[in-house]
Amino acid sequence: MTAVQAPRKPSHGPHSPDWKNALFVAPYLFFFVTLLVFPLFWGIWLSFHKADTFSSGPFVGFGNYVRLFNDKVFLQSVGNTFYFVLLTVPTLALIGLFLALALNARTRTATVLRSLFFFSSVLSVTIVTLIWRIVFIPQFGLLATVYGWFGATAPAFVSDPNLAMIAVAMATIWWCLGLPMMLFLSALQQIPGDIYEAAALDNASRWRTLTAITLPSIKRTFALVIIIQIVLQFQLFGQAWLMTRGGPNNVTKPIVLYIYDTAFRRWDLGLGAAASEVLFVLILLAAMAQYLISRRKEDL
Amino acid sequence: MSAEIEIRNVSKSFGSAKVLENLSLSIPGHEFVVFLGPSGCGKSTLLRMIAGLESVEDGEILINGERIDHLPPGQRGVAMVFQSYALYPHMTVRQNMTFGLENINVAKDVIDARVADAARMLEIGHLLDRKPGQLSGGQRQRVAIGRAVVKEPNAFLFDEPLSNLDAALRTRTRIELAQLHQRLRSTMIFVTHDQIEAMTLADRIVVMNNKKIEQIGAPMEIYDRPATRFVAGFVGTPQMNFLDVTAARPGALGLSVACGPKLSIDTAVAPDVAGEVASLGIRAEAVSLAAPGEGQADGVIDVLERLGDRSLAHVRLDDGQMVVANESGQTRLGVGARVALRFDGTKAHLFDGAGKAYHGREAAP
């Protein structure tokens, strides 16, 4: 009996998934899972346990969260963070937009100024806060000198509880302005030039062109800038830590600094993890809210 | 709603590149003028200068006797339809049409009436609340025209408005534009590189090439009596046949020219230009096929283009020259067939070395 060899079945059809392709995403996936997904779930798990650096103790349910919301310092840090986001995000969006509008030209001056305004973004937080501490030094700082020219005394930005967060916000705005400006510039440059020509033929004034043509054309980017900045500014840490150490009297202590203090200075990892989850939810909610609002107004 | 437009000695450069040189043109009211020319000839630049979207370097532009080249675009009383339509993407069709009127504070009831009229005329009433992104190319085109119509401008400027449409829609829109002109009787300037658009739409065609105007004339005048070899070659499909003239002497009709050793054509051009003539031009419809030996030159059909109502035979003459001849749509001839060509010399044009044309008496329309 002769065996008829069956035709060899192709190992995969032209449209069936080829798992070899997964190799291309594997390196990224590995780091994504180990450095982002795993810590996220571990953090959630940790927040339901009493844990320190040496051991993860017993399951405590929502105990850490209850402690957290009874902690006045935590509640103050949440308030501080919201205040900081409120100070920085709209300002960054508006100044970024203004700069982009002013520098959206193909001139040498505009190019130089664009680079100049973006320059601060490449600095590390250490340098940025150093510069701004020099600005705010009482008596000898830049601010004190400028006030001195007019015979006035500069307000004590860093030590005045009413001004300290504003000082941190100023340093942050100076540091972070480059990204919104660049995002707005790229959006502006994608508006077709002939629309402006049509508007000129339609007798539109400069103001009318701005409000009726330019701004509606970049509203998606506006939403994007707001979301990015909310996510970024909710994570305030370096500037507050280096400029004020959270003081005076905790008025510049943001959530991340609270987490740092709790988890890595008081070694109460469970409580720190719970605070982290609260921050995660806050950022998620803020970004989602902004996304949904901008979606609702979105035109076809 | 009609303007006389006068362009006087206008020049324009972009950097070191000159695009228009000392150009003058007068357009009477109600006229449909087409600027026709190849890409880069400066026709769009001239249109944009009339619109105010490009500055005038030298010379002046007048509308109804009033100098307007220093006025901003919105104050020139012109409306433009762009090649890309340039509709405001975030506005509805209605808002696109009313935007210009709101900017000059036209009363709301007047705006509503004009939009309703234009929408009815262009059959876009059902699209008024849609956004440009929801419209087809043809519908966008109508909206762009509607946006121009509601302004009731002195002149309409069209910058290659049909080039983004498919062939069928282009033909339909062309007819509609002609009807629109008949209805509105406005001055219209239309820029195109498509000679069929120019021939079918224009009262007068301005043929432009290389920074200047080559010829201004009615479509059939341009076709029958092209002023230069460029115009003769640019207007007409298939392109006019050009043959180098090797000798010229007085003949029975006028000037008899030799195009190569064996081909001689009697033209109706006056013999006094014998010394100037460098080439002969003759359109395919003035060349017919005959049996071998029964024409002025013999050759072989290289390519046969069947267009339905007629065929175009690309004939390679024995001396190597290519000539396109008209043949019946039903012809039984095929590629490789040996044929003779008969040239109707009365319809031939002669050109001197600089491209200037000489026409026979009978070449007149």
Side-chain angles (χ1 to χ4, degrees):
Chain A
M1 204 170 86
T2 53
V4 179
Q5 198 177 6
R8 257 183 63 179
K9 234 177 145 181
S11 59
H12 55 83
H15 299 296
S16 61
D18 186 341
W19 294 106
K20 280 190 290 246
N21 294 341
L23 282 173
F24 288 99
V25 288
Y28 171 76
L29 215 56
F30 173 76
F31 287 107
F32 179 72
V33 170
T34 50
L35 298 181
L36 279 166
V37 179
F38 175 65
L40 175 71
F41 287 101
W42 195 23
I44 295 172
W45 181 84
L46 215 53
S47 71
F48 292 112
H49 291 76
K50 185 173 169 51
D52 56 35
T53 38
F54 303 106
S55 64
S56 55
F59 178 74
V60 293
F62 285 96
N64 285 329
Y65 290 95
V66 173
R67 278 170 61 210
L68 203 57
F69 286 104
N70 286 323
D71 183 347
K72 281 188 183 152
V73 178
F74 175 71
L75 294 177
Q76 189 185 6
S77 76
V78 173
N80 291 341
T81 310
F82 272 97
Y83 178 45
F84 175 76
V85 167
L86 212 66
L87 282 176
T88 51
V89 174
T91 317
L92 278 165
L94 291 177
I95 299 181
L97 176 63
F98 176 79
L99 285 177
L101 287 169
L103 301 178
N104 184 25
R106 286 185 186 164
T107 61
R108 213 183 173 81
T109 321
T111 313
V112 171
L113 287 174
R114 277 203 295 263
S115 316
L116 211 65
F117 283 116
F118 191 72
F119 168 73
S120 61
S121 304
V122 302
L123 298 175
S124 79
V125 67
T126 330
I127 309 288
V128 171
T129 47
L130 195 66
I131 292 170
W132 281 88
R133 281 176 70 174
I134 293 170
V135 171
F136 289 133
I137 290 174
Q139 289 162 7
F140 313 108
L142 179 69
L143 208 66
T145 312
V146 173
Y147 269 77
W149 291 340
F150 301 100
T153 312
F157 266 99
V158 180
S159 52
D160 184 334
N162 292 320
L163 297 177
M165 190 57 104
I166 294 175
V168 175
M170 282 164 75
T172 306
I173 290 164
W174 182 80
W175 184 32
C176 298
L177 197 54
L179 181 65
M181 181 189 74
M182 282 301 175
L183 286 171
F184 282 128
L185 268 170
S186 74
L188 288 174
Q189 284 167 5
Q190 280 176 26
I191 304 175
D194 55 11
I195 293 184
Y196 287 110
E197 293 182 338
L201 280 155
D202 269 345
N203 264 305
S205 62
R206 285 177 76 126
W207 176 250
R208 182 103 163 111
T209 306
L210 175 72
T211 53
I213 309 291
T214 307
L215 295 183
S217 302
I218 58 167
K219 61 185 176 192
R220 280 165 194 254
T221 306
F222 204 88
L224 177 74
V225 165
I226 297 280
I227 292 174
I228 291 177
Q229 290 305 327
I230 284 178
V231 172
L232 283 178
Q233 303 312 335
F234 257 114
Q235 300 173 54
L236 166 68
F237 174 67
Q239 308 94 294
W241 177 243
L242 294 166
M243 281 176 78
T244 60
R245 303 266 154 181
N249 201 18
N250 288 337
V251 294
T252 60
K253 187 175 208 169
I255 303 177
V256 181
L257 191 47
Y258 175 89
I259 295 166
Y260 173 72
D261 270 346
T262 313
F264 302 111
R265 281 154 64 91
R266 300 207 321 255
W267 304 113
D268 192 344
L269 285 185
L271 191 64
S276 303
E277 298 315 319
V278 171
L279 176 63
F280 172 69
V281 170
L282 282 177
I283 293 176
L284 194 70
L285 284 179
M288 288 297 287
Q290 180 57 41
Y291 178 71
L292 289 175
I293 290 166
S294 60
R295 271 278 299 244
R296 198 173 303 156
K297 289 189 198 156
E298 201 57 74
D299 312 346
L300 278 158
Chain B
M1 263 204 5
S2 170
E4 285 178 24
I5 299 174
E6 183 86 22
I7 295 163
R8 292 185 189 153
N9 308 108
V10 159
S11 295
K12 176 79 185 169
S13 306
F14 290 117
S16 58
K18 198 109 184 156
V19 284
L20 291 173
E21 207 165 305
N22 196 24
L23 200 137
S24 295
L25 173 67
S26 181
I27 301 168
H30 309 302
E31 198 172 56
F32 199 127
V33 172
V34 173
F35 294 171
L36 174 68
S39 299
C41 71
K43 56 190 190 300
S44 280
T45 306
L46 181 60
L47 189 82
R48 291 167 59 80
M49 286 164 83
I50 298 170
L53 301 174
E54 298 288 352
S55 62
V56 174
E57 206 170 85
D58 262 328
E60 48 193 39
I61 300 175
L62 298 92
I63 292 185
N64 287 335
E66 191 189 333
R67 195 166 166 192
I68 52 103
D69 50 74
H70 57 283
L71 294 177
Q75 290 175 23
R76 297 184 177 203
V78 298
M80 185 155 162
V81 177
F82 293 80
Q83 182 176 7
S84 58
Y85 317 135
L87 297 175
Y88 309 121
H90 52 281
M91 295 187 195
T92 61
V93 168
R94 187 191 302 278
Q95 288 166 335
N96 264 282
M97 290 166 81
T98 58
F99 184 68
L101 300 177
E102 286 165 0
N103 290 337
I104 50 170
N105 301 317
V106 176
K108 195 174 177 314
D109 52 335
V110 177
I111 295 179
D112 289 344
R114 286 198 202 172
V115 170
D117 274 353
R120 194 167 41 246
M121 182 162 64
L122 295 160
E123 296 170 21
I124 51 171
H126 59 297
L127 306 174
L128 287 176
D129 296 317
R130 294 200 199 161
K131 298 227 164 127
Q134 298 167 286
L135 305 181
S136 69
Q139 289 171 331
R140 284 183 213 182
Q141 172 66 268
R142 283 159 182 273
V143 174
I145 294 171
R147 182 170 68 176
V149 168
V150 292
K151 287 202 260 184
E152 299 186 351
N154 290 324
F156 286 87
L157 310 177
F158 296 94
D159 189 5
E160 308 210 23
L162 308 184
S163 53
N164 287 344
L165 302 180
D166 64 50
L169 200 54
R170 197 179 308 169
T171 310
R172 209 183 100 190
T173 313
R174 212 169 62 208
I175 294 165
E176 286 173 354
L177 273 178
Q179 288 169 337
L180 186 74
H181 178 241
Q182 281 164 11
R183 198 176 305 155
L184 299 177
R185 301 299 301 155
S186 296
T187 309
M188 292 188 175
I189 305 179
F190 187 102
V191 163
T192 183
H193 60 266
D194 183 323
Q195 47 157 318
I196 296 173
E197 284 172 17
M199 295 289 285
T200 51
L201 284 170
D203 292 325
R204 278 196 309 159
I205 298 176
V206 178
V207 185
M208 295 177 67
N209 182 40
N210 196 20
K211 301 173 252 181
K212 56 184 195 296
I213 294 174
E214 291 269 340
Q215 186 174 6
I216 304 172
M220 285 316 290
E221 186 186 341
I222 300 265
Y223 187 79
D224 284 329
R225 298 182 74 84
T228 62
R229 184 175 158 148
F230 170 81
V231 176
F234 192 75
V235 177
T237 308
Q239 199 193 39
M240 185 182 276
N241 296 298
F242 291 107
L243 300 168
D244 289 339
V245 171
T246 49
R249 57 182 171 74
L253 296 169
L255 196 62
S256 177
V257 295
C259 304
K262 291 182 182 168
L263 175 59
S264 171
I265 301 171
D266 271 346
T267 74
V269 177
D272 52 345
V273 296
E276 319 281 328
V277 172
S279 60
L280 173 140
I282 188 161
R283 295 200 185 276
E285 62 257 34
V287 186
S288 55
L289 300 186
E294 291 181 11
Q296 285 135 292
D298 285 0
V300 174
I301 297 178
D302 238 17
V303 176
L304 191 71
E305 289 183 273
R306 293 188 185 274
L307 304 177
D309 59 333
R310 61 184 178 137
S311 301
L312 296 174
H314 296 245
V315 178
R316 184 178 299 280
L317 299 182
D318 291 343
D319 61 7
Q321 299 189 88
M322 287 296 294
V323 175
V324 182
N326 240 10
E327 173 62 0
S328 138
Q330 311 297 328
T331 184
R332 289 172 181 276
L333 293 168
V335 172
R338 190 153 180 82
V339 292
L341 293 182
R342 280 190 189 143
F343 295 86
D344 180 355
T346 58
K347 290 180 179 157
H349 314 268
L350 297 176
F351 304 96
D352 65 15
K356 187 185 169 206
Y358 302 101
H359 310 287
R361 289 175 298 279
E362 299 195 13

